[in-house]
Amino acid sequence: MEARDAVTDLLTLLDLLAEGASPEELSGVAATARASGLGGDALAAVDRAVAAALRVRRTVTAHRRREAELTALFDTAGDLAALRDTDAVLRSIVHRARMLLGVDVSYLSLNDEHAGKTYVRVTDGSVSALFQQVQLGMGEGLGGLVAQTARPYASRDYFADTRFNHTGPIDSSVRDEGLTAILGVPLALGSRVIGVLYAADRTARDFTPDEVALLSSLADHAAIAIDTARLLDSTRAALAELNTAHTTISGHVSALRQAAEAHDKLMDLVLRGGDLDEVAGALASVLGGGIAVFDAGGAELARVGDPCGPFPVEASGRAVLVEAPGRAAPMDATGRVAAQASGRVAAVERAWVCAVQAGPEVLGSLVLSGRADLGDAERRLFERAGVVTALLLLLRRSVAAAEDEVRGELLSDLLTAPTRNPSGLAARGARLGVDLSAPHMVLVCASEVPRRRLATAASRYGGLVGVHAEQVVVLAPGPVHPARVATDLGTAVDAPVTVGAAGPATGIPELAAAHAEAARCARSLLALDRAGDGATTADLGFIGLLLGDTRDLTAHVDSVLGPVLDYDSRRGTDLLGTLTAYFDSGASLARAKDLLHVHVNTVVQRLDRVATLLGEDWQDPRRALEIQLALRLHRLRDSR
């Protein structure tokens, strides 16, 4: 009976163990056997079996717990391998810590070394907003002790524990959350602690070494997650910087390639003998705007598009956004001075302007419009264009100097020995593009500026230009107005220019004679204190009549008295007689009316009509002298 009963109890114990019964149910088997009267060796055997079953259950429970811990660690490792969101991984670690340790709250704090603070990053099971937002000073609270020693610390009763530094904010947040027992383990990267992982209960409890080890393993995973996230962030930032640098370098390489190609194109134009218009056109096509080229004096040399337009004024570097030259006055004296002083920029109207210079010498300027902004590569290209333009202007200057020498020799031979070899002179002129058999005005220009500079400015009138007998001589095809030429040249060289003119003359001997007359006219203008003016001998009145080689008295009388003679002829009046009587009487109205036998008012009315015909200045001394001389010449002509 006893043996049978013992076997029955043992079988019951095995069934309970297989079903995963609790320790209390397992211990109840021994109590039931004892209550049923089992004793002796049989009861002792049941007690030993119950003890063995409890050990087996503890072992199985430990294995299951370890399996769950390993599963959690493997899951955490999987999360790290597929890391996409650092906060999500940390929340998973904190949640697993809470579940595996069976605590009320778990949380993770990170250190901000720059700010000298520690803040709670992730929580699980927390209900206190104050606790979730608490910030700690470095070294404060239980976490401070963990961070300082880099070792786990557990407190059965937080508020009764004196091992660490209690502070008001920390204690208030812990009390608001209702925590009592707290375990903290370090988040370490090498020897540096970056934060703490916590497990906490709202009741007092002791944390086992297995629980400390488990939380430490999770903390290691959390540290790896944080470090991986930081590495990923650094990698992403580095990749972004590399992409930016690659984009920048690619842009620079492209801009440099474009600038080099444009520069080669401009140089090829120069080497092929291209002119300024072609250079301006190529530059306008590359930069996408209007281009104008000006010489050092502000004269326009070439234009493509319209180099004028409203856009913001900004200045930077050697090419500067300033005011663009206008068509009528491209660069004033202030602008020229500014260009020469800076070597680059002249401020007139609004545009991008780059100086064209060879060493310290300013040769002119390039003006770009229609662009509100220029990149660095475009500015360098604009400045390269200035260098190419300078080279082209220097080549033009060299060619012009050679041509000037040839033209000067021709002009000198033409004026000093026109009869020596007329056919040879004509042939030499034809080679230079000058038809000496066509009508030409001969201009003799005098100024205080260097003659070469004056000759360069005078070359705009075409024909043949050179220096002869210390004066600049111009053979200009077609009629020109000497006074206007004097004004234009004076503006170009910024100094008074006196111009004596003769012609038009046709044929080599006639051109030489016209030069002599133009030279006398220029000397006369200077003697009459009319420097800076221009005239022909006809413009000088009776003085021109004396200076001229042809004494055309009739033409001179008609040029002075023509309006009065025409009026008398049409109306049958005698204004000419009244004018003669007025001057013969010494400009006295009273004596004039006696000579004419009319009332003085009649004399006044007739002289008013004369003023209408000849101009209000007819009584000025110089004009009056010419009128009196013309009256005498008219009288002599009629007496012949």
Side-chain angles (χ1 to χ4, degrees), residues 31-263:
T32 300
R34 193 174 283 106
S36 64
L38 187 66
D41 291 339
L43 181 60
V46 170
D47 286 338
R48 288 195 302 273
V50 169
L54 289 173
R55 289 196 301 274
V56 170
R57 186 188 186 285
R58 284 196 298 271
T59 300
V60 171
T61 301
H63 286 172
R64 287 176 177 172
R65 186 177 69 248
R66 186 59 180 166
E67 181 182 359
E69 293 173 354
L70 290 174
T71 300
L73 292 176
F74 282 129
D75 289 343
T76 302
D79 291 342
L80 291 177
L83 180 64
R84 293 295 182 270
D85 184 347
T86 306
D87 285 342
V89 174
L90 295 180
R91 282 193 298 269
S92 175
I93 290 173
V94 170
H95 177 71
R96 287 178 181 136
R98 180 186 173 209
M99 294 298 101
L100 291 174
L101 271 66
V103 294
D104 298 321
V105 179
S106 60
Y107 56 99
L108 181 146
S109 67
L110 292 177
N111 299 335
D112 186 345
E113 296 179 354
H114 296 290
K117 296 286 186 180
T118 298
Y119 61 95
V120 175
R121 173 76 174 266
V122 182
T123 65
D124 190 81
S126 172
V127 296
S128 169
L130 177 62
F131 181 80
Q132 296 169 15
Q133 298 174 5
V134 67
Q135 289 191 4
L136 323 174
M138 299 290 283
E140 298 176 351
L142 184 143
L145 183 62
V146 173
Q148 287 176 345
T149 61
R151 295 171 54 190
Y153 272 90
S155 177
R156 177 181 176 80
D157 187 347
Y158 176 84
F159 292 102
D161 199 332
T162 60
R163 291 176 299 170
F164 46 82
N165 180 24
H166 287 268
T167 65
I170 300 176
D171 289 355
S172 297
S173 64
V174 172
R175 187 175 291 109
D176 192 61
E177 188 65 58
L179 302 180
T180 300
I182 301 177
L183 167 63
V185 297
L187 300 174
L189 293 175
S191 60
R192 183 167 65 94
V193 177
I194 64 172
V196 178
L197 178 61
Y198 300 88
D201 256 334
R202 294 188 172 92
T203 58
R205 64 169 285 183
D206 292 317
F207 292 96
T208 67
D210 287 343
E211 291 174 326
V212 174
L214 175 60
L215 195 62
S216 296
S217 296
L218 291 173
D220 291 340
H221 282 85
I224 292 172
I226 294 170
D227 189 43
T228 303
R230 289 178 176 175
L231 289 175
L232 286 175
D233 289 342
S234 299
T235 302
R236 291 189 188 102
L239 286 175
E241 291 178 359
L242 286 174
N243 287 334
T244 301
H246 179 266
T247 301
T248 302
I249 292 172
S250 297
H252 285 170
V253 169
S254 176
L256 289 174
R257 184 183 300 111
Q258 180 186 11
E261 291 174 354
H263 185 261

Side-chain angles (χ1 to χ4, degrees), residues 555-585:
H556 178 70
V557 170
D558 290 342
S559 67
V560 177
L561 299 176
V564 175
L565 294 173
D566 291 343
Y567 189 87
D568 283 346
S569 176
R570 291 194 313 270
R571 301 295 182 91
T573 57
D574 190 20
L575 294 181
L576 192 67
T578 302
L579 196 56
T580 302
Y582 175 73
F583 282 118
D584 288 347
S585 63

Side-chain angles (χ1 to χ4, degrees), residues 238-311:
L239 286 175
E241 291 178 359
L242 286 174
N243 287 334
T244 301
H246 179 266
T247 301
T248 302
I249 292 172
S250 297
H252 285 170
V253 169
S254 176
L256 289 174
R257 184 183 300 111
Q258 180 186 11
E261 291 174 354
H263 185 261
D264 292 343
K265 181 178 180 180
L266 293 175
M267 288 300 299
D268 183 59
L269 283 175
V270 174
L271 295 177
R272 287 191 294 104
D275 56 17
L276 288 174
D277 288 326
E278 291 180 288
V279 172
L283 185 59
S285 65
V286 172
L287 294 179
I291 292 290
V293 184
F294 298 92
D295 64 16
E300 183 178 289
L301 303 177
R303 176 186 294 272
V304 174
D306 184 11
C308 298
F311 30 84

